[in-house]
Amino acid sequence: MADNPDPAPAAGGGPPPDARTGQRWRRWGENALTTGARLSVETGQWLSRRWGQVVALLRGMEPAAAFGPPPPPPGRLTERRDAELAVPAQGYVYVFHVRASLMWWSEGLRPEDLSWHAHYFQPHAVQKLTRLAADLARTLPPHRAGDLEVRLQRAVDAADWTFSRGAKTVTCEPEIRVRLDERVRRALLPYSERLVTLESEYELHLARARRAEQLARRWTGILQEFAAGPVPAAAGPTAEENVVDAVRRMTALQKIAARWVEELLRDRPRTDESRPAGRRGDAVTRQPPDRARDVPKQPGPAAGSGDAVAPDPDAPRQA
């Protein structure tokens, strides 16, 4: 096949079209090479500056620590969480308010692991505590919050509060506080105030009785020593009779004081656990008898002749 003939020259004597196209490509290539070279130089300068900055920064830093085994886990960690619950009392009219302080602890867990496990097992612990409190509260009257607190704490101490998930174990230690229903507290407030007043009066009467007994014993010893010694001649014939009479009077006073103390101790309110439920505190509502008027004045050197003295049943009658 014959080659194509040369294209006819363009009109006007100019270069042919193929020559013009080649010149345009040549100029475009030259421009591209020039632009690429310029960009390469600028990029190299920018990278050089950044590399110098990175090297300067690394030179001012401490060398990184070598990789080693992870640090050992901490020892025993604790975390406290509180819970409030209400359980019905006997009769299902009033409730007991139970405040539980749950102390979570574990050996070998990290703080974030312990916090996660405490949050995860908190509903389980509250549910278990609610079941124990409800079983005990429904058998007690609504005013015996103290008894519920003692029994519930014993039940909590006897239960198992260890929770496990996988290979990790946490333990909970609940601390219990029980409060009365607000309606029950308002109803018991006057009774409690009266109880405090009676207890104070009882302690006052008991202190007076003990003081009277001590004084009677002291005077009895003094008079007995005086009666056993020689009587001064200037005292007169009636001195010995007066001393003997004073001894008898003080002996009678001592017996009265002793009997008074015995009656007070017998009337003391009993709060032991041997009394049947519901009758505790019955003896407290009885006010101790005021026997201050039955105790005669203490005889002594300044005692008057009008002091009332109880007769001594063992003393012989004087003619």
Side-chain angles (χ1 to χ4, degrees), residues 88-154:
Q90 187 178 21
Y92 289 85
V93 177
Y94 301 100
V95 298
F96 291 107
H97 297 279
V98 181
R99 179 179 178 84
S101 178
L102 306 178
M103 188 66 66
W104 296 89
W105 64 272
S106 179
E107 295 282 352
L109 288 184
R110 302 186 182 279
E112 57 273 13
D113 293 339
L114 178 61
S115 179
W116 187 91
H117 282 80
H119 177 75
Y120 181 80
F121 289 115
Q122 179 85 1
H124 300 274
V126 172
Q127 181 181 5
K128 185 176 182 178
L129 181 61
T130 304
R131 184 171 61 254
L132 292 176
D135 293 342
L136 294 175
R138 67 169 58 100
T139 63
L140 294 174
H143 64 278
R144 295 177 60 183
D147 295 341
L148 176 60
E149 181 175 327
V150 173
R151 298 183 184 182
L152 182 56
Q153 189 64 52
R154 291 175 181 173

Coordinates of all heavy atoms in Angstrom, one line a residue, residues 88-154:
P88 N -43.8 -2.9 104.5 CA -45.0 -2.7 105.3 C -44.8 -3.4 106.7 O -44.2 -4.4 106.8 CB -46.1 -3.4 104.5 CG -45.4 -4.4 103.6 CD -44.0 -3.8 103.3
A89 N -45.4 -2.7 107.7 CA -45.4 -3.2 109.0 C -46.6 -4.2 109.2 O -47.4 -4.4 108.3 CB -45.4 -2.1 110.1
Q90 N -46.7 -4.7 110.5 CA -47.8 -5.6 110.8 C -49.1 -4.8 110.6 O -49.4 -3.7 111.1 CB -47.7 -6.0 112.2 CG -48.7 -7.1 112.6 CD -48.5 -7.6 114.1 OE1 -47.9 -6.9 114.8 NE2 -48.9 -8.8 114.4
G91 N -50.1 -5.5 109.9 CA -51.3 -4.8 109.5 C -51.4 -4.2 108.2 O -52.4 -3.8 107.7
Y92 N -50.2 -3.9 107.6 CA -50.1 -3.3 106.2 C -50.8 -2.0 106.1 O -51.3 -1.6 105.1 CB -50.7 -4.3 105.2 CG -49.9 -5.5 104.9 CD1 -50.0 -6.6 105.7 CD2 -48.9 -5.6 103.9 CE1 -49.3 -7.8 105.5 CE2 -48.2 -6.7 103.7 CZ -48.3 -7.8 104.5 OH -47.6 -8.9 104.3
V93 N -50.7 -1.2 107.2 CA -51.2 0.2 107.2 C -50.1 1.1 107.2 O -50.1 2.1 106.5 CB -52.2 0.4 108.5 CG1 -52.6 1.8 108.5 CG2 -53.4 -0.6 108.4
Y94 N -49.1 0.9 108.1 CA -47.9 1.7 108.2 C -46.7 1.0 107.6 O -46.8 -0.2 107.4 CB -47.6 2.2 109.6 CG -48.8 2.9 110.3 CD1 -49.6 2.2 111.1 CD2 -49.0 4.3 110.0 CE1 -50.7 2.9 111.7 CE2 -50.0 4.9 110.6 CZ -50.9 4.3 111.5 OH -51.9 4.9 112.1
V95 N -45.6 1.7 107.4 CA -44.4 1.1 106.8 C -43.2 1.5 107.6 O -43.2 2.5 108.4 CB -44.2 1.6 105.3 CG1 -45.4 1.2 104.4 CG2 -44.0 3.2 105.3
F96 N -42.2 0.7 107.4 CA -40.9 1.0 108.0 C -40.0 1.6 106.8 O -40.0 1.0 105.7 CB -40.2 -0.2 108.6 CG -40.9 -0.7 109.8 CD1 -41.6 -1.8 109.8 CD2 -40.7 0.0 111.0 CE1 -42.2 -2.3 111.0 CE2 -41.3 -0.4 112.2 CZ -42.1 -1.6 112.2
H97 N -39.3 2.6 107.1 CA -38.3 3.2 106.1 C -36.9 2.6 106.4 O -36.4 2.9 107.5 CB -38.3 4.7 106.1 CG -39.7 5.3 105.7 ND1 -40.1 5.4 104.4 CD2 -40.7 5.8 106.5 CE1 -41.2 6.0 104.4 NE2 -41.7 6.2 105.6
V98 N -36.4 1.9 105.5 CA -35.1 1.3 105.7 C -34.1 2.0 104.8 O -34.3 2.1 103.6 CB -35.1 -0.3 105.4 CG1 -33.8 -0.9 105.6 CG2 -36.2 -0.9 106.2
R99 N -33.0 2.4 105.4 CA -31.9 3.0 104.6 C -30.7 2.1 104.7 O -30.2 1.8 105.8 CB -31.5 4.4 105.2 CG -30.4 5.1 104.4 CD -30.1 6.5 105.0 NE -28.9 7.1 104.3 CZ -29.0 7.7 103.2 NH1 -30.2 7.9 102.6 NH2 -27.9 8.3 102.6
A100 N -30.2 1.7 103.6 CA -29.1 0.7 103.5 C -27.9 1.4 102.9 O -28.0 2.0 101.8 CB -29.5 -0.5 102.6
S101 N -26.8 1.2 103.5 CA -25.5 1.7 103.0 C -24.7 0.5 102.5 O -24.3 -0.3 103.3 CB -24.8 2.5 104.1 OG -23.5 2.9 103.6
L102 N -24.6 0.3 101.2 CA -24.0 -0.9 100.6 C -22.5 -0.6 100.3 O -22.2 0.3 99.5 CB -24.7 -1.3 99.4 CG -26.2 -1.5 99.5 CD1 -26.8 -1.9 98.2 CD2 -26.5 -2.6 100.5
M103 N -21.7 -1.3 101.0 CA -20.2 -1.1 100.8 C -19.7 -2.2 100.0 O -19.6 -3.4 100.4 CB -19.5 -1.1 102.2 CG -18.0 -0.7 102.1 SD -17.8 1.0 101.5 CE -18.4 1.9 102.9
W104 N -19.3 -1.9 98.7 CA -18.8 -2.9 97.8 C -17.3 -2.9 97.8 O -16.7 -1.9 97.9 CB -19.3 -2.6 96.4 CG -20.8 -2.6 96.2 CD1 -21.6 -1.6 96.3 CD2 -21.5 -3.8 95.8 NE1 -22.9 -2.0 96.1 CE2 -22.9 -3.4 95.7 CE3 -21.2 -5.1 95.5 CZ2 -23.9 -4.2 95.4 CZ3 -22.2 -6.0 95.1 CH2 -23.6 -5.5 95.1
W105 N -16.7 -4.1 97.9 CA -15.3 -4.2 97.9 C -14.8 -5.5 97.1 O -15.6 -6.4 96.9 CB -14.7 -4.2 99.3 CG -15.1 -5.4 100.1 CD1 -16.2 -5.6 100.9 CD2 -14.4 -6.7 100.2 NE1 -16.3 -6.8 101.4 CE2 -15.2 -7.5 101.1 CE3 -13.2 -7.2 99.7 CZ2 -14.8 -8.8 101.4 CZ3 -12.9 -8.5 100.0 CH2 -13.6 -9.3 100.8
S106 N -13.6 -5.4 96.7 CA -13.0 -6.6 95.9 C -11.5 -6.5 96.0 O -10.9 -5.5 96.3 CB -13.5 -6.6 94.5 OG -12.9 -7.6 93.8
E107 N -10.9 -7.6 95.8 CA -9.4 -7.8 95.8 C -9.0 -8.0 94.4 O -9.4 -8.9 93.7 CB -9.0 -9.0 96.6 CG -9.3 -8.8 98.1 CD -8.3 -7.9 98.8 OE1 -7.3 -7.5 98.2 OE2 -8.5 -7.6 100.0
G108 N -8.1 -7.1 93.9 CA -7.5 -7.3 92.6 C -8.2 -6.6 91.4 O -7.7 -6.7 90.3
L109 N -9.4 -6.1 91.6 CA -10.1 -5.4 90.6 C -9.6 -3.9 90.5 O -9.3 -3.3 91.5 CB -11.6 -5.4 90.8 CG -12.3 -6.8 90.5 CD1 -13.8 -6.6 90.7 CD2 -11.9 -7.3 89.2
R110 N -9.6 -3.4 89.3 CA -9.3 -2.0 89.1 C -10.6 -1.1 89.5 O -11.7 -1.7 89.5 CB -8.9 -1.7 87.6 CG -7.7 -2.5 87.2 CD -7.2 -2.2 85.9 NE -6.1 -3.0 85.5 CZ -4.8 -2.8 85.9 NH1 -4.5 -1.7 86.7 NH2 -3.8 -3.6 85.5
P111 N -10.4 0.1 89.7 CA -11.5 1.0 90.1 C -12.7 1.0 89.2 O -13.8 0.9 89.6 CB -10.9 2.4 90.3 CG -9.4 2.1 90.6 CD -9.1 0.9 89.8
E112 N -12.4 1.0 87.9 CA -13.4 1.1 86.9 C -14.2 -0.3 86.8 O -15.4 -0.3 86.7 CB -12.9 1.4 85.5 CG -11.8 0.5 85.0 CD -10.4 0.9 85.4 OE1 -10.3 1.8 86.3 OE2 -9.5 0.4 84.8
D113 N -13.5 -1.4 87.0 CA -14.1 -2.7 87.1 C -15.0 -2.8 88.3 O -16.1 -3.3 88.2 CB -13.1 -3.8 87.1 CG -12.3 -3.9 85.7 OD1 -12.9 -3.4 84.7 OD2 -11.2 -4.4 85.7
L114 N -14.5 -2.4 89.5 CA -15.3 -2.4 90.7 C -16.6 -1.6 90.6 O -17.7 -2.0 91.0 CB -14.5 -2.0 91.9 CG -15.2 -1.9 93.2 CD1 -15.7 -3.3 93.6 CD2 -14.3 -1.4 94.3
S115 N -16.4 -0.4 90.0 CA -17.6 0.5 89.8 C -18.6 -0.1 88.9 O -19.8 -0.1 89.1 CB -17.2 1.9 89.3 OG -18.3 2.7 89.1
W116 N -18.2 -0.8 87.8 CA -19.1 -1.4 86.9 C -19.8 -2.6 87.6 O -21.0 -2.7 87.4 CB -18.3 -1.9 85.7 CG -19.2 -2.4 84.6 CD1 -19.8 -1.7 83.6 CD2 -19.7 -3.8 84.5 NE1 -20.6 -2.5 82.8 CE2 -20.5 -3.8 83.3 CE3 -19.5 -4.9 85.2 CZ2 -21.2 -5.0 82.9 CZ3 -20.1 -6.1 84.8 CH2 -21.0 -6.1 83.6
H117 N -19.1 -3.4 88.3 CA -19.7 -4.6 89.0 C -20.7 -4.1 90.1 O -21.7 -4.7 90.3 CB -18.6 -5.5 89.5 CG -18.0 -6.4 88.5 ND1 -17.0 -5.9 87.7 CD2 -18.2 -7.7 88.2 CE1 -16.6 -6.9 86.9 NE2 -17.3 -8.0 87.2
A118 N -20.3 -3.0 90.8 CA -21.2 -2.5 91.8 C -22.5 -2.0 91.2 O -23.6 -2.3 91.7 CB -20.6 -1.4 92.6
H119 N -22.4 -1.3 90.1 CA -23.6 -0.9 89.4 C -24.4 -2.0 88.8 O -25.7 -2.0 88.8 CB -23.2 0.1 88.3 CG -24.3 0.6 87.4 ND1 -25.2 1.5 87.9 CD2 -24.8 0.2 86.2 CE1 -26.1 1.8 87.0 NE2 -25.9 1.0 85.9
Y120 N -23.7 -3.1 88.4 CA -24.4 -4.2 87.8 C -25.2 -5.0 88.9 O -26.3 -5.5 88.6 CB -23.4 -5.1 87.0 CG -24.0 -6.3 86.4 CD1 -24.7 -6.2 85.2 CD2 -24.0 -7.6 87.0 CE1 -25.3 -7.3 84.6 CE2 -24.5 -8.7 86.4 CZ -25.2 -8.5 85.2 OH -25.7 -9.6 84.6
F121 N -24.5 -5.2 90.0 CA -25.1 -6.1 91.1 C -26.0 -5.3 92.1 O -26.5 -5.9 93.0 CB -24.0 -6.9 91.8 CG -23.4 -7.9 91.0 CD1 -22.1 -7.9 90.6 CD2 -24.1 -9.0 90.6 CE1 -21.5 -8.8 89.9 CE2 -23.5 -10.0 89.8 CZ -22.2 -9.9 89.5
Q122 N -26.0 -4.0 92.0 CA -26.8 -3.2 92.9 C -28.3 -3.6 93.0 O -28.9 -3.8 94.0 CB -26.7 -1.7 92.6 CG -27.5 -0.8 93.5 CD -26.7 -0.4 94.8 OE1 -25.6 -0.8 94.9 NE2 -27.4 0.4 95.6
P123 N -29.0 -3.8 91.8 CA -30.4 -4.2 91.9 C -30.6 -5.6 92.6 O -31.5 -5.8 93.3 CB -30.8 -4.2 90.4 CG -29.9 -3.3 89.7 CD -28.6 -3.5 90.5
H124 N -29.6 -6.5 92.4 CA -29.7 -7.8 93.0 C -29.6 -7.7 94.5 O -30.3 -8.3 95.2 CB -28.6 -8.7 92.4 CG -28.7 -8.9 90.9 ND1 -29.5 -9.9 90.4 CD2 -28.1 -8.3 89.9 CE1 -29.4 -9.9 89.0 NE2 -28.5 -8.9 88.8
A125 N -28.7 -6.9 95.0 CA -28.5 -6.7 96.4 C -29.7 -6.0 97.0 O -30.2 -6.4 98.1 CB -27.2 -5.9 96.7
V126 N -30.3 -5.0 96.4 CA -31.4 -4.3 96.9 C -32.6 -5.3 97.0 O -33.4 -5.3 97.9 CB -31.7 -3.1 96.1 CG1 -33.1 -2.4 96.5 CG2 -30.6 -2.1 96.2
Q127 N -32.8 -6.1 95.9 CA -33.9 -7.0 95.9 C -33.8 -8.1 97.1 O -34.8 -8.4 97.8 CB -34.0 -7.7 94.6 CG -35.1 -8.7 94.5 CD -35.1 -9.4 93.1 OE1 -34.2 -9.2 92.3 NE2 -36.1 -10.2 92.9
K128 N -32.6 -8.5 97.3 CA -32.4 -9.5 98.4 C -32.6 -8.8 99.7 O -33.2 -9.5 100.6 CB -31.0 -10.0 98.3 CG -30.6 -11.1 99.3 CD -29.2 -11.7 99.1 CE -28.9 -12.8 100.0 NZ -27.5 -13.4 99.8
L129 N -32.2 -7.6 99.9 CA -32.4 -6.9 101.2 C -33.8 -6.6 101.4 O -34.3 -6.7 102.5 CB -31.6 -5.6 101.2 CG -31.6 -4.8 102.4 CD1 -31.1 -5.5 103.6 CD2 -30.8 -3.5 102.2
T130 N -34.6 -6.3 100.4 CA -36.0 -6.0 100.5 C -36.8 -7.2 100.9 O -37.7 -7.2 101.7 CB -36.5 -5.5 99.1 OG1 -35.8 -4.3 98.8 CG2 -38.0 -5.1 99.3
R131 N -36.4 -8.4 100.4 CA -37.1 -9.6 100.8 C -36.8 -9.9 102.2 O -37.8 -10.3 102.9 CB -36.6 -10.7 99.9 CG -37.3 -12.1 100.1 CD -36.9 -13.1 99.1 NE -35.5 -13.4 99.1 CZ -34.7 -13.0 98.1 NH1 -35.1 -12.3 97.1 NH2 -33.4 -13.3 98.2
L132 N -35.6 -9.8 102.7 CA -35.3 -10.0 104.1 C -36.1 -9.0 105.0 O -36.7 -9.4 106.1 CB -33.8 -9.9 104.4 CG -32.9 -11.0 103.8 CD1 -31.5 -10.7 104.1 CD2 -33.3 -12.4 104.3
A133 N -36.1 -7.7 104.6 CA -36.8 -6.7 105.5 C -38.3 -7.0 105.5 O -38.9 -6.8 106.5 CB -36.4 -5.3 105.0
A134 N -38.9 -7.3 104.4 CA -40.3 -7.5 104.3 C -40.7 -8.7 105.2 O -41.7 -8.7 105.8 CB -40.8 -7.7 102.9
D135 N -39.9 -9.8 105.2 CA -40.3 -11.0 106.0 C -40.3 -10.7 107.5 O -41.1 -11.2 108.2 CB -39.3 -12.1 105.7 CG -39.4 -12.6 104.2 OD1 -40.5 -12.4 103.6 OD2 -38.5 -13.3 103.7
L136 N -39.4 -9.8 107.9 CA -39.3 -9.5 109.3 C -40.3 -8.4 109.7 O -40.8 -8.4 110.8 CB -37.9 -9.0 109.7 CG -36.8 -10.1 109.6 CD1 -35.4 -9.5 109.8 CD2 -37.0 -11.2 110.5
A137 N -40.5 -7.4 108.8 CA -41.3 -6.2 109.1 C -42.8 -6.6 109.3 O -43.5 -6.0 110.1 CB -41.2 -5.2 108.1
R138 N -43.3 -7.6 108.5 CA -44.7 -7.9 108.6 C -45.1 -8.6 109.9 O -46.3 -8.8 110.2 CB -45.1 -8.8 107.4 CG -44.5 -10.2 107.4 CD -45.1 -11.0 106.3 NE -45.0 -10.4 105.0 CZ -44.1 -10.8 104.1 NH1 -43.2 -11.7 104.4 NH2 -44.0 -10.2 102.9
T139 N -44.1 -9.0 110.7 CA -44.4 -9.6 112.0 C -44.3 -8.6 113.2 O -44.5 -9.0 114.3 CB -43.5 -10.8 112.2 OG1 -42.1 -10.3 112.3 CG2 -43.6 -11.8 111.1
L140 N -43.9 -7.4 112.9 CA -43.7 -6.4 114.0 C -44.7 -5.3 113.9 O -45.0 -4.8 112.8 CB -42.2 -5.8 113.9 CG -41.1 -6.8 114.2 CD1 -39.8 -6.2 113.9 CD2 -41.2 -7.4 115.6
P141 N -45.1 -4.7 115.1 CA -46.0 -3.5 115.0 C -45.2 -2.3 114.5 O -44.0 -2.3 114.4 CB -46.3 -3.3 116.5 CG -46.1 -4.6 117.2 CD -44.9 -5.3 116.4
P142 N -45.9 -1.3 114.0 CA -45.3 -0.2 113.3 C -44.4 0.7 114.2 O -43.7 1.5 113.7 CB -46.5 0.5 112.7 CG -47.6 0.2 113.5 CD -47.4 -1.2 113.9
H143 N -44.5 0.5 115.5 CA -43.8 1.4 116.4 C -42.5 0.7 116.9 O -41.8 1.3 117.7 CB -44.6 1.8 117.6 CG -45.0 0.7 118.5 ND1 -46.1 -0.1 118.2 CD2 -44.4 0.2 119.6 CE1 -46.2 -1.1 119.2 NE2 -45.2 -0.9 120.0
R144 N -42.1 -0.4 116.4 CA -41.0 -1.2 116.9 C -39.9 -1.2 115.8 O -39.4 -2.2 115.4 CB -41.3 -2.6 117.3 CG -42.3 -2.6 118.5 CD -42.7 -4.0 118.8 NE -41.6 -4.9 119.2 CZ -41.7 -6.2 119.4 NH1 -42.9 -6.8 119.4 NH2 -40.6 -6.9 119.7
A145 N -39.5 0.0 115.5 CA -38.4 0.2 114.5 C -37.1 -0.3 115.0 O -36.3 -0.9 114.2 CB -38.3 1.6 114.0
G146 N -36.8 -0.1 116.3 CA -35.5 -0.6 116.8 C -35.4 -2.1 116.8 O -34.3 -2.6 116.4
D147 N -36.5 -2.8 117.1 CA -36.4 -4.3 117.0 C -36.2 -4.7 115.5 O -35.5 -5.7 115.3 CB -37.7 -4.9 117.5 CG -37.9 -4.6 119.0 OD1 -36.9 -4.3 119.7 OD2 -39.0 -4.7 119.5
L148 N -36.9 -4.1 114.6 CA -36.7 -4.4 113.2 C -35.2 -4.2 112.8 O -34.6 -5.0 112.1 CB -37.6 -3.7 112.3 CG -37.4 -3.9 110.8 CD1 -37.7 -5.3 110.4 CD2 -38.4 -3.0 110.0
E149 N -34.6 -3.1 113.2 CA -33.2 -2.8 112.8 C -32.3 -3.9 113.4 O -31.4 -4.3 112.6 CB -32.8 -1.4 113.3 CG -31.4 -1.0 113.0 CD -31.1 0.4 113.4 OE1 -32.0 1.2 113.4 OE2 -29.9 0.7 113.7
V150 N -32.5 -4.3 114.6 CA -31.6 -5.3 115.2 C -31.8 -6.6 114.5 O -30.8 -7.3 114.1 CB -31.9 -5.4 116.7 CG1 -31.1 -6.6 117.3 CG2 -31.5 -4.2 117.4
R151 N -33.0 -7.1 114.3 CA -33.2 -8.4 113.6 C -32.8 -8.4 112.2 O -32.2 -9.4 111.7 CB -34.7 -8.7 113.7 CG -35.2 -8.9 115.2 CD -36.7 -9.3 115.2 NE -37.2 -9.4 116.5 CZ -38.5 -9.7 116.8 NH1 -39.3 -10.1 115.8 NH2 -38.9 -9.8 118.1
L152 N -33.0 -7.3 111.5 CA -32.6 -7.2 110.1 C -31.1 -7.2 109.9 O -30.5 -7.8 109.0 CB -33.2 -6.0 109.4 CG -32.9 -5.8 107.9 CD1 -33.4 -7.0 107.2 CD2 -33.6 -4.5 107.4
Q153 N -30.4 -6.5 110.8 CA -28.9 -6.5 110.8 C -28.4 -7.9 111.0 O -27.4 -8.3 110.4 CB -28.4 -5.5 111.8 CG -26.9 -5.3 111.6 CD -26.5 -4.6 110.3 OE1 -27.1 -3.6 109.9 NE2 -25.6 -5.2 109.6
R154 N -29.0 -8.6 112.0 CA -28.6 -10.0 112.2 C -28.8 -10.9 111.0 O -27.9 -11.7 110.6 CB -29.3 -10.6 113.4 CG -28.9 -9.9 114.7 CD -29.8 -10.5 115.9 NE -29.5 -9.9 117.1 CZ -30.2 -10.1 118.3 NH1 -31.2 -10.9 118.2 NH2 -29.8 -9.5 119.4

